[in-house]
Amino acid sequence: MTGKQASERGIGGAAETAQMLGKVEQLRDQIRRHDYLYYIEARPEISDRDYDLLLDELRQLEQQYPPLVTPDSPTQRVGGAPLADFKPVRHSVPMLSIDNTYSEQDLLDFDERVRNSLGVKGVTYVLEPKVDGVAVSLRYEKGVFVRGATRGDGEIGDDITENLRTIKSIPLRLHGKDIPDVLEPRGEVYWPHKDFEAFNRKREEEGEPLFANPRNATAGTLKQLDSRIVAKRPLRFVAHGFGEITPFKCKRHHEIMDALGKWGVPIFPHIQPVEGIEQAIEIIRAWKTKREKSDYATDGMVLKVDRLDWRDDLGKTSRYPRWTVAFKYEPDRAWTKLQDVKVQVGKLGTLTPVAVLEPVLLAGTTVSRATLHNYEQIERLEVMIGDTVAVEKAGEIIPQVVLVDKDKRPKDAKAIERPTKCPECGGPVSAGEDEAVCIRCMNFECPAQFKERLRSFAGRNQMDIEGLGPARIKQLVDSGLVKEVGDIYRLHEPDRLGRLLQLERAGETSVDNLLKAIEESKARPLHRLLAGLAIPHVGVHVADVLTRHFGDIDALMAASQEALEGVNGVGAVVAESVHKFFHSNAGRHIIQELRDVGVSMADTRRKAAGGGEAPLAGKSIVVTGTLPTLGRKEIEELIRDMGGQATSSVSRKTSFVVAGEEAGSKLDKAKSLGVEVIDEAEFLKRIGRK
Ligand code: IVH
């Protein structure tokens, strides 16, 4: 938009408008550049916080001058009102799939077919990872993202533009020279491994059913009609092909990929042309182990003829192009017997089926348990007790049951029923909104749930009580010594102590240490306590946000649902859950009990013990390299506890950097910006630990 156009749309005076527009465009350019550095080059120059500040500034300006908002503004990635349905989109060029092979012989045969049919001696190929994601086609017109669609049946897909807009690695506007009028990059949307595991851990903490694997979770996410849900999930995109390109200038696949990369579309980092099939096979063999290091799940490699004119000559069969083939690695998989299905009761009552297996060797470890995720999964697999099942380990993810060999089913195989009561306490179960997947025990007093709640209460990121692990908790609860959370803090009272000492394996010194750890935990900052209360949807992160906003427990307990919803980072679901907890008898009772026994409930990050400022209040700190004693999570938690903020990248606003062994680019950056660098010992001194 030009200043003149903006003023025609009724925005202020011409001069003011031009000035605003200039500022808005400048901010957008800055944000786009940082998106590019972060998502494509993987070398951010500013911290997440500084990035958020830029985005906030832009958001405010756009709120002041709504006509300046354009669909390609970085603020438009948060998602909008839910759609009623996805519109169909006809692909300008059909979106085909590829034929899979599992053997090297198939690759040799493929190469021979290609050479014979072209009548040439040697072929240059490109090799790319085969990303286990969901195929999509993007469309840019004059460099602006206008539409994105799923493959569908190859001719017609679903218009999922609004969902794709929220994916930050998909540029909303391209940059650079010679951008074609129409450009359709095609590729995979995927959920990076590490983010997926972290996301699932958070879901577990918050009592939500777990996603089975990144691919299904990605597919499920892209099918959401409410793009705001998509915006909260860290999906990414990588290009591996193209649809329409007008005008069209390239002669080879790798040239197109290079050009896409230059325009800001994410591509694979090292695509090199390879001469002949032998070299290709070597690379494929080497990648089998290397692939574990990449951030996406890859189950194979895709071999493609590089020359585009040869692709045209080769053509396609009824289903697949003749110029490409996908080689899939055999997954690490083992067959064994399903002996039983146990039900695990989570801290919020979620019932999770777990397969008990005849022990079997899988990728170097003996596996005797595997997850079945939920009852929908059991029904999908049509699995029965006694069946021969395949277990697989995908990346670092826990083993899971993936297949059933029904031909081997014994006559006495037993069906696996959905529980109609809690297998632990016999209490009633219910199925909520997520009924198909999630069955819950509704008895708040269920001992299994209570044990899990205690486990989470005593956990490292919560009240951090050493010595209060699952075995001890079982003992304490089963013996009746601990009936409610507050009882933990009464274990030192004479009559309880006597009974505790009589319990098997509770030696005097270990009881001593336990009581000491329990006593120390009373001083934990409020956000850790909150994270340990098993309030649905409240994990460490939400607890931190709430504590920063309300400061103390009374203010939080008194907050209305609207006030809770008004907190940046707290959605309606979380607000409702927190409000409900603090207005329930059980919730209020827990707080009262803990207050009575002397749990501090203060936000010690604001005020240090002596009543002064917390030692790291207002400081933004980056940790890099390996430290002599503190783990990464540990030091970050310390920083937060002491009132500071742990950020991931160094900028001028970084207060100081804590560096250890093998500190890399962040240390260099700190030095070049003149940011102070200290070691672990100095850090501990500053927080008064040494
Ligand atoms: S090329 C004309 N390259 O795997 C076919 N596909 O199992 C163009 N996939 O349908 C596809 N990584 O959705 C290509 N590097 C890659 C890929 C890739 C993943 C997907 C794609 C394809 C499916 C086949």
Side-chain angles (χ1 to χ4, degrees), residues 95-98 100 128-135 151 187-188 240-241 268 302 304 321 323-324 326 328:
M95 247 181 119
L96 302 179
S97 189
I98 351 177
N100 288 325
E128 290 171 354
K130 180 164 153 38
V131 181
D132 204 9
V134 175
R151 172 167 33 220
E188 302 288 298
H240 53 56
F268 297 111
V302 182
K304 303 173 178 179
W323 46 264
T324 180
K328 283 183 89 164

Side-chain angles (χ1 to χ4, degrees), residues 315-354:
K316 55 180 174 139
T317 67
S318 59
R319 290 165 59 199
Y320 307 118
R322 284 202 180 89
W323 46 264
T324 180
V325 69
F327 179 85
K328 283 183 89 164
Y329 299 110
E330 288 292 348
D332 288 322
R333 172 185 291 178
W335 288 90
T336 185
K337 268 226 159 64
L338 177 67
Q339 294 176 325
D340 198 2
V341 172
K342 288 240 148 72
V343 183
Q344 241 172 32
V345 183
K347 65 178 178 185
L348 298 173
T350 312
L351 304 185
T352 306
V354 178

Side-chain angles (χ1 to χ4, degrees), residues 411-456:
K411 285 213 181 65
D412 59 351
K414 267 192 355 216
I416 305 164
E417 309 281 353
R418 282 178 180 244
T420 49
K421 56 181 201 248
C422 171
E424 294 278 347
C425 71
V429 297
S430 101
E433 272 168 44
D434 39 7
E435 181 162 357
V437 248
C438 189
I439 303 178
R440 287 201 168 96
C441 160
M442 299 305 287
N443 172 18
F444 187 74
E445 272 145 38
C446 167
Q449 265 187 62
F450 179 52
K451 284 176 200 163
E452 283 303 305
R453 283 202 300 274
L454 281 183
R455 205 153 77 111
S456 141

Side-chain angles (χ1 to χ4, degrees), residues 591-668:
I591 299 296
Q592 193 53 46
E593 277 190 88
L594 293 173
R595 236 195 254 267
D596 289 348
V597 296
V599 170
S600 130
M601 305 197 185
D603 184 6
T604 43
R605 290 175 305 182
R606 296 201 166 183
K607 292 214 168 50
E613 273 273 282
L616 303 179
K619 296 219 169 2
S620 153
I621 299 157
V622 175
V623 183
T624 177
T626 313
L627 302 177
T629 67
L630 294 172
R632 184 55 61 94
K633 282 229 167 81
E634 229 174 324
I635 184 164
E636 285 180 358
E637 185 61 29
L638 269 175
I639 291 171
R640 278 197 289 272
D641 281 358
M642 295 290 158
Q645 207 164 27
T647 56
S648 58
S649 58
V650 181
S651 75
R652 272 174 228 287
K653 291 190 189 132
T654 306
S655 312
F656 58 83
V657 171
V658 186
E661 292 271 317
E662 287 178 38
S665 60
K666 291 185 190 173
L667 180 59
D668 300 339

